[in-house]
Amino acid sequence: MSFQEAGGRVPLIAGNWKMYKTSLEGAAFVRALARELGPGLRGRDVVVAPAFTGLREAVHAAEGTGIAVCAQDVFWEAEGAYTGEVSATMLADLGVTTVIIGHSERRALFGETDESVAKKVRAALDHGLQAIMCVGESEGQRDEGQTESVLSRQVPAGLAMAREAEMANVAIAYEPIWAIGTGRTATPVMAEEAVAFVRTQVEVSLGARGAEIVRVLYGGSVRPDNIDDLMAQPDIDGVLVGGASLDVAAFARIVRFVGA
């Protein structure tokens, strides 16, 4: 469901499982999460992102629960001689609704570029998938005061092939690389400043309406003990959760953040 369909910027809580959980483990997790949350998912969107091998089982387990299933990456071509890649067409065929694009680990370990991010965002939108586009600075870049210069490059570049009205189907996850998997977290004020700046870059690139309807998330050591403070910030529309999304109780508490 897009923002426009939902009538506002509904909070988005996304769990990125990275390279954890077999297909059976993932399906069991989805069923357990659905039991834990019960029918009370109104007012927020919840997605989980298994590895490619677990997508089908997770989709089946999520049927009728209100939980959506997200892929961790996508290729920009619909088909072709691209060994090892998975297209948006294939993901949509499985019942996947959303895809993470440009995660910092993809950028750092696998050579993801701003150009490839833009092409993947375009492919996702063309095939009816919602995109969670990741941006963020390294520790060195933050220490050198380059946070805004990094974001002012990554955001417009990643959205270069998107259109203003399509921002209802795009979320941008600000993930300070120095806070991912380290236990360090940007303070709520730091996170809010960066997220607000991301929104200004959307407005510069795609207009005021695009900035109004895009969801901007925070990602970086999100935990049950900091979710309420993060979600109390006016510009933070949700979170991209790593390690804490692997535990049912922890992730359910994040989904149930206080202050919706």
Side-chain angles (χ1 to χ4, degrees):
M1 179 178 290
S2 73
F3 285 168
Q4 291 176 330
E5 291 168 339
R9 292 208 306 266
V10 176
L12 172 61
I13 311 299
N16 178 17
W17 294 352
K18 307 188 180 184
M19 201 174 72
Y20 294 96
K21 297 189 185 298
T22 65
S23 61
L24 294 180
E25 290 169 344
F29 181 99
V30 170
R31 289 190 290 267
L33 179 64
R35 289 193 298 270
E36 181 76 15
L37 293 175
L41 291 181
R42 291 187 299 275
R44 59 204 67 188
D45 291 337
V46 180
V47 302
V48 294
F52 285 131
T53 56
L55 289 173
R56 182 180 292 278
E57 291 293 338
V59 167
H60 289 166
E63 289 177 357
T65 68
I67 299 168
V69 177
C70 175
Q72 297 178 19
D73 192 21
V74 67
F75 192 60
W76 55 79
E77 296 289 354
E79 59 182 13
Y82 304 104
T83 301
E85 296 295 338
V86 176
S87 72
T89 306
M90 294 170 178
L91 296 177
D93 180 60
L94 289 176
V96 169
T97 65
T98 310
V99 60
I100 297 170
I101 297 170
H103 190 279
S104 61
E105 291 160 0
R106 299 296 311 174
R107 293 178 188 260
L109 299 176
F110 304 104
E112 191 87 85
T113 66
D114 291 338
E115 180 183 8
S116 64
V117 167
K119 291 161 73 173
K120 290 180 178 186
V121 169
R122 183 68 262 154
L125 294 172
D126 283 343
H127 292 88
L129 299 178
Q130 297 183 70
I132 299 176
M133 186 184 84
C134 300
V135 298
E137 81 283 9
S138 68
E139 183 174 23
Q141 289 167 331
R142 170 165 281 275
D143 290 344
E144 293 173 8
Q146 297 178 9
T147 297
E148 291 191 356
S149 64
V150 171
L151 296 177
S152 64
R153 184 194 80 244
Q154 289 180 336
V155 174
L159 298 177
M161 299 182 183
R163 296 182 288 273
E164 182 180 42
E166 293 175 320
M167 291 300 97
N169 287 311
V170 175
I172 301 175
Y174 165 66
E175 42 167 25
I177 298 170
W178 47 270
I180 298 173
T182 65
R184 296 179 59 191
T185 310
T187 67
V189 171
M190 290 165 61
E192 166 65 16
E193 289 174 349
V195 164
F197 184 77
V198 166
R199 198 178 301 282
T200 67
Q201 295 307 297
V202 176
E203 182 171 5
V204 169
S205 299
L206 292 172
R209 178 58 177 161
E212 178 185 351
I213 61 178
V214 70
R215 280 184 278 196
V216 187
L217 317 180
Y218 171 76
S221 295
V222 176
R223 303 181 304 273
D225 63 0
N226 62 26
I227 183 62
D228 296 340
D229 289 338
L230 288 168
M231 290 304 299
Q233 304 305 309
D235 276 287
I236 297 179
D237 299 317
V239 287
L240 179 59
V241 188
S245 73
L246 299 173
D247 179 83
V248 171
F251 191 55
R253 170 63 181 87
I254 290 170
V255 171
R256 293 195 190 104
F257 69 86
V258 177

